[in-house]
Amino acid sequence: MSKKVTQPPQTEYTASGRKKPVSTAKGTITMMAMAILITTSILSLRGLPSEAKFGIQSIFYYIFAAIVFLLPFSLVCAELASTYTKQGGLYRWVSEAFGPRWGWTAMYLEWQTIIIWFPTVLIFGAVSLAYIFWPESFDEKLASNKLYTLIVALLIYWGVTFNSFRGTKVANRVSTLGGLCGTIIPGAILIVLGVVYVCMGKTIDLKPMPFFPDFSHISTIVLAASIFLFYGGMEIQAVHINDMRNPAKDFPKAVFLSIFVIVAMYAIGTLIIGLVIPSEKINLVQSLLTAYNVFWSTIGLEWMGNVIALFIMVGVIGQVSALVNGPSVGLMAVAQSGYLPMSMQKVNDKGVNKPIMYVAGIFVTILSLVLIVLPTVESAYQIMSQMATIIYLIMVLMVYGAFIRLRRTQPNKTRGFKVPCGKAGEWFVCILGIAGAVLALLLSYLPPSQIETGSPVVYVGILLAGVAVFVALPLVVYAKRKPSWRNPNAHFYPFDWQIEGRKPWEVSKWSAGYEPSEEEVDAAEGNAISCHGKDKT
């Protein structure tokens, strides 16, 4: 009898940490629904101050990043997701092209991106907590204190982690409440307050400047590279494309519509902060809360600034709650194929994988200690954001590489959606996307001129050492894996090259529309199990 190779749908997350619902039925997602899904999963308030430093030029950066990153990456991920529909997502795409070593590495890097991202949101949470007190001068001093920030950040993280041990249902209640309180409500209030402020004829600090930045000063545009992480997560979002009625026609429309809304909302939110805080005085972790205080003060409701800070703090807790358990579930699903020891695959009576969560906690704790060696809380926030961006972009480049290779090794594979305009479209999208990712990656290594980061040698050294370690880790784990690490109860649908009995880089001999039989699938899965730990693909 054929073994079942499907798995129940699981909660999925973007690289920047936002939870996404999982759909399973063909035709259940309309074009408009997909546009809303993309928009709500990408929008976030936390990063607005970093772009507000650019004033009106931030609009250029939002549009530029959408054109060279969000649009081409969305199209590439859509084709891969509609072509390789079995479980695995990113892991399957890269493994089909380059073998499981690199598929595992890509999957790990996505998980690692979220782990590196954790300290940034924890620092933001600590600052938000500081702003619920009175007066604002005390809030600013407390938020700038590194020891306070480190202690509160770790208390938030480990508190949420221990709460998540109680099960996914408990964690989801916290994350749902956090999503409503921390993003939707504060975001709507920010826009309304900005409009009211302008209508009241108050002083506007947004200085007139050229729309296009001065590219001769590279260090001034480093912060713009973080926008790429704002737009992250399409590699997971695209898996829903097969649930659309007409993906070839409707998905591009959904992408263009969502890009328009995302760029517009980010631009509006960024400019609203710039209305009341001059660009040279913007602080990456405090200015969003400072802007709320200014807006509320203009209408005589200063105390509401403290309430909003509390809302945002609840949002941070909800975000962390969603992220603490979710990514470990995805990583474990792949790890059961033999990439982590069985001791790391154990779950408690609530179905929670505590070992992986403890490892993640150790990573987060060590990364948070960067606060000690950098001069300010703001600089620590910045370096964690840049490191997460670099790791994520390395994974993005692996996806582009997989797309290019699979177009050549599996030319007859049935594709539910294809990047438009044939070969010309393929090369245009890939050249544009790869060039944009490489540019942002290189810029991420440079210390930004707008904030104090201390010694450039220390700043760049931390980035280089951190990235080297995090990229090497999955390769070391893969090299040291053992046959005993494979979970006998986990069944993973074989890769096409395993079913065909060829190498990943060899061209498929399948004819267009060919589907393997259950017997072929079972034989390939059995052969993959017997060869585990021996191959060096």
Side-chain angles (χ1 to χ4, degrees):
M1 180 179 290
S2 174
K3 294 184 287 291
K4 292 183 178 180
V5 295
T6 57
Q7 293 178 348
Q10 299 172 339
T11 304
E12 297 174 355
Y13 298 80
T14 71
S16 51
R18 292 172 283 271
K19 186 171 67 173
K20 299 191 296 296
V22 178
S23 179
T24 56
K26 178 72 174 177
T28 57
I29 299 183
T30 63
M31 185 279 292
M32 186 60 68
M34 176 61 81
I36 294 173
L37 188 62
I38 295 172
T39 301
T40 55
S41 67
I42 289 178
L43 276 175
S44 176
L45 301 178
R46 185 179 55 85
L48 296 181
S50 65
E51 305 313 313
K53 281 183 174 287
F54 296 103
I56 294 174
Q57 290 178 358
S58 64
I59 300 176
F60 167 82
Y61 289 119
Y62 282 125
I63 295 174
F64 177 78
I67 292 173
V68 304
F69 176 69
L70 183 56
L71 177 59
F73 195 53
S74 298
L75 296 176
V76 165
C77 289
E79 177 169 324
L80 291 171
S82 67
T83 305
Y84 303 95
T85 58
K86 305 300 182 183
Q87 80 270 28
L90 171 68
Y91 169 68
R92 180 170 294 279
W93 305 345
V94 179
S95 295
E96 286 283 7
F98 302 112
R101 174 194 286 113
W102 299 108
W104 157 252
T105 300
M107 182 71 183
Y108 178 90
L109 291 180
E110 184 175 51
W111 175 79
Q112 190 69 71
T113 296
I114 298 173
I115 300 304
I116 299 171
W117 171 88
F118 261 128
T120 66
V121 74
L122 292 170
I123 290 171
F124 183 68
V127 171
S128 299
L129 179 63
Y131 270 75
I132 70 172
F133 302 113
W134 190 273
E136 186 175 348
S137 58
F138 172 79
D139 299 344
E140 291 178 356
K141 291 181 180 178
L142 185 61
S144 300
N145 186 286
K146 292 193 287 184
L147 182 60
Y148 158 81
T149 303
L150 178 62
I151 292 173
V152 172
L154 293 180
L155 284 175
I156 293 173
Y157 182 83
W158 285 106
V160 170
T161 296
F162 291 133
N163 181 66
S164 296
F165 289 167
R166 300 166 59 195
T168 303
K169 179 181 280 189
V170 175
N172 282 347
R173 291 197 194 108
V174 178
S175 61
T176 300
L177 176 64
L180 176 64
C181 295
T183 300
I184 298 175
I185 293 176
I189 290 175
L190 180 66
I191 293 175
V192 171
L193 289 175
V195 172
V196 171
Y197 185 87
V198 172
C199 291
M200 291 175 67
K202 298 292 183 178
T203 302
I204 294 178
D205 288 311
L206 192 64
K207 297 178 180 178
M209 60 177 64
F211 178 75
F212 294 99
D214 182 2
F215 291 106
S216 63
H217 296 86
I218 298 297
S219 62
T220 65
I221 64 175
V222 173
L223 290 178
S226 61
I227 293 179
F228 282 64
L229 195 59
F230 291 2
Y231 291 155
M234 189 53 68
E235 72 281 358
I236 304 178
Q237 193 63 270
V239 300
H240 303 306
I241 191 172
N242 290 308
D243 303 327
M244 301 184 74
R245 296 190 183 97
N246 188 352
K249 178 181 178 181
D250 291 343
F251 186 77
K253 292 181 180 178
V255 167
F256 280 112
L257 178 59
S258 62
I259 287 176
F260 174 79
V261 174
I262 290 167
V263 171
M265 293 301 292
Y266 270 136
I268 292 171
T270 299
L271 294 179
I272 285 176
I273 293 176
L275 291 177
V276 294
I277 305 177
S279 60
E280 65 273 10
K281 294 184 178 180
I282 286 177
N283 181 287
L284 299 188
V285 289
Q286 296 184 30
S287 289
L288 176 63
L289 297 155
T290 301
Y292 277 114
N293 286 346
V294 174
F295 287 134
W296 286 118
S297 295
T298 59
I299 56 177
L301 296 174
E302 293 89 347
W303 58 273
M304 279 298 295
N306 303 77
V307 175
I308 291 295
L310 180 60
F311 268 59
I312 293 176
M313 174 63 182
V314 172
V316 168
I317 293 175
Q319 227 176 1
V320 174
S321 181
L323 287 168
V324 161
N325 186 36
S328 68
V329 173
L331 184 68
M332 189 182 71
V334 174
Q336 287 177 332
S337 295
Y339 301 116
L340 288 177
M342 291 298 293
S343 60
M344 293 293 295
Q345 300 180 29
K346 294 180 179 178
V347 296
N348 64 12
D349 58 351
K350 300 294 185 180
V352 176
N353 182 291
K354 294 171 68 174
I356 291 181
M357 291 172 66
Y358 276 126
V359 171
I362 293 171
F363 269 123
V364 171
T365 301
I366 293 173
L367 289 168
S368 298
L369 294 177
V370 169
L371 274 168
I372 297 174
V373 299
L374 290 175
T376 64
V377 171
E378 186 182 28
S379 61
Y381 178 93
Q382 171 62 18
I383 201 169
M384 289 297 100
S385 295
Q386 295 305 104
M387 190 179 296
T389 300
I390 293 169
I391 295 293
Y392 181 68
L393 290 174
I394 292 173
M395 182 274 293
V396 167
L397 291 173
M398 295 175 72
V399 172
Y400 276 116
F403 171 78
I404 293 171
R405 170 169 274 187
L406 290 170
R407 273 286 188 102
R408 280 140 192 81
T409 58
Q410 299 192 31
N412 296 323
K413 182 78 173 177
T414 301
R415 288 166 166 81
F417 170 85
K418 290 191 72 172
V419 172
C421 302
K423 281 281 186 182
E426 174 194 350
W427 282 109
F428 177 77
V429 164
C430 287
I431 291 173
L432 183 66
I434 292 173
V438 170
L439 175 62
L441 192 152
L442 294 176
L443 285 175
S444 296
Y445 278 103
L446 300 178
S449 61
Q450 296 95 334
I451 63 175
E452 174 58 43
T453 58
S455 169
V457 175
V458 173
Y459 183 91
V460 176
I462 290 174
L463 284 177
L464 288 172
V467 171
V469 169
F470 293 137
V471 172
L473 273 174
L475 297 173
V476 172
V477 170
Y478 185 87
K480 298 296 183 181
R481 76 198 192 285
K482 300 176 182 178
S484 59
W485 291 5
R486 188 178 183 102
N487 189 330
N489 298 316
H491 302 294
F492 188 84
Y493 192 92
F495 303 114
D496 288 355
W497 51 266
Q498 289 176 325
I499 298 174
E500 288 187 80
R502 60 178 175 85
K503 299 296 183 182
W505 52 85
E506 295 175 341
V507 178
S508 171
K509 296 181 174 59
W510 283 355
S511 58
Y514 174 79
E515 288 293 333
S517 66
E518 290 188 353
E519 290 74 18
E520 289 175 305
V521 172
D522 286 348
E525 184 179 2
N527 185 56
I529 292 174
S530 65
C531 293
H532 181 76
K534 300 177 182 179
D535 69 284
K536 299 297 179 184
T537 306

